[in-house]
Amino acid sequence: MTIPTPHISATSADQIAKTVLMPGDPLRAKFIADNFLTDVSQFNETRGMLGFTGYYNGKRVSVMGSGMGIPSSMIYFNELFDFYDVDTIIRIGTAGSMQKDVKLHDIVIATSACSESSINDNLFGNVHFSPTPDFDLLIEAYQKSLDLGYRTHCGQVQSSDQFYNDMPDQVFENLQKYGVLCVEMETYGLYMAARRHGKKGLGIFTISDSLVENTADSAEDRQKSYTNMMKLALEIAHE
Ligand code: HPA
């Protein structure tokens, strides 16, 4: 395949920076471009999946929506790594807490992801592969998050294929017992795509709701804690 791809309309790789921050929501990508970046140019609007490149404190960086779920987001992860020479994708998303001490607004950094997704079913025989992030980027994100004063947790996340589901209580309890911190819907795909292409991926989340305490963020708090996460991701982006 050549560029532009069926899903990204940028006509050359140099329209996209080496690091791309990816929220699920394309309007959140626009929010980052509008509020944090200078000298912004838009490189995509195919399917409304807005993508922008600009400068954060003089550092060239791109932001683009990924859509929700592994199938949507993996199309963009694979095309950015494979056809646009992107080195690093940092997913910035929201997640539902599965642990008592992981509170609303806390930051979670995914040291690995588990999933009921079938994308690996025929890849590794009977081996259950565990997708992991780039270690240097993980350490950098953790340090920076602490420096910024954020309550930060590192651990495994669940990348679920379903937002609405009938998960048996026992399965939920086992995931909790084995230390899964929170549930979101894309990071397993990001870590697989990054490993597939020998590139770097990292998933960072703001806790927007708690499956333990049945609470959810107010719109105002959500915006503030997302902004904290955006700053963190922009700080660790490399040119
Ligand atoms: N489930 C899946 N994805 C999510 C959730 C959730 O509860 N909260 C934020 N992203």
Side-chain angles (χ1 to χ4, degrees):
M1 208 197 305
T2 54
I3 54 178
T5 65
H7 311 97
I8 302 176
S9 51
T11 50
S12 83
D14 59 18
Q15 291 173 14
I16 304 179
K18 292 297 172 197
T19 294
V20 183
L21 270 50
M22 300 192 76
D25 180 355
L27 290 180
R28 198 142 272 144
K30 185 172 183 331
F31 176 90
I32 298 171
D34 289 345
N35 290 282
F36 290 101
L37 304 186
T38 55
D39 294 317
V40 174
S41 55
Q42 185 173 336
F43 66 81
N44 193 57
E45 62 177 348
T46 303
R47 290 178 184 249
M49 205 54 80
L50 307 175
F52 306 89
T53 298
Y55 292 83
Y56 175 74
N57 291 338
K59 185 169 66 178
R60 192 163 182 263
V61 61
S62 292
V63 289
M64 183 181 175
S66 69
M68 290 177 280
I70 291 171
S72 167
S73 61
M74 274 195 100
I75 289 174
Y76 300 107
F77 301 149
N78 278 306
E79 290 188 1
L80 289 168
F81 283 139
D82 207 13
F83 301 108
Y84 290 97
D85 230 12
V86 166
D87 285 337
T88 303
I89 293 176
I90 303 174
R91 164 162 159 65
I92 45 176
T94 57
S97 172
M98 294 168 68
Q99 301 289 340
K100 257 205 159 74
D101 68 332
V102 178
K103 309 278 190 200
L104 293 187
H105 319 315
D106 284 4
I107 295 280
V108 170
I109 304 171
T111 58
S112 65
C114 59
S115 182
E116 71 274 34
S117 162
S118 61
I119 58 170
N120 284 350
D121 281 4
N122 300 312
L123 270 184
F124 303 104
N126 64 354
V127 174
H128 298 285
F129 182 79
S130 302
T132 52
D134 180 76
F135 185 70
D136 291 340
L137 197 59
L138 171 78
I139 295 293
E140 210 177 331
Y142 182 58
Q143 270 307 334
K144 179 58 75 177
S145 189
L146 295 181
D147 291 349
L148 289 167
Y150 303 161
R151 267 179 59 94
T152 309
H153 311 264
C154 287
Q156 183 160 182
V157 305
Q158 184 201 357
S159 300
S160 179
D161 263 355
Q162 301 185 81
F163 189 88
Y164 302 102
N165 63 37
D166 292 320
M167 180 187 277
D169 290 347
Q170 188 60 59
V171 174
F172 182 75
E173 282 161 24
N174 281 342
L175 290 170
Q176 278 185 314
K177 176 177 167 184
Y178 282 74
V180 174
L181 297 181
C182 59
V183 57
E184 52 84 62
M185 301 186 74
E186 295 82 15
T187 298
Y188 187 86
L190 171 59
Y191 290 179
M192 284 306 297
R195 294 291 168 192
R196 179 171 186 223
H197 298 289
K199 305 283 181 95
K200 299 177 183 180
L202 184 67
I204 303 175
F205 315 96
T206 296
I207 298 300
S208 60
D209 54 285
S210 170
L211 308 188
V212 186
E213 295 178 348
N214 270 320
T215 50
D217 241 353
S218 70
E220 191 185 330
D221 284 348
R222 194 177 310 155
Q223 195 56 53
K224 190 162 161 258
S225 49
Y226 291 172
T227 304
N228 285 344
M229 173 177 55
M230 289 166 188
K231 263 187 228 154
L232 168 59
L234 286 163
E235 287 289 329
I236 63 164
H238 289 268
E239 279 197 281

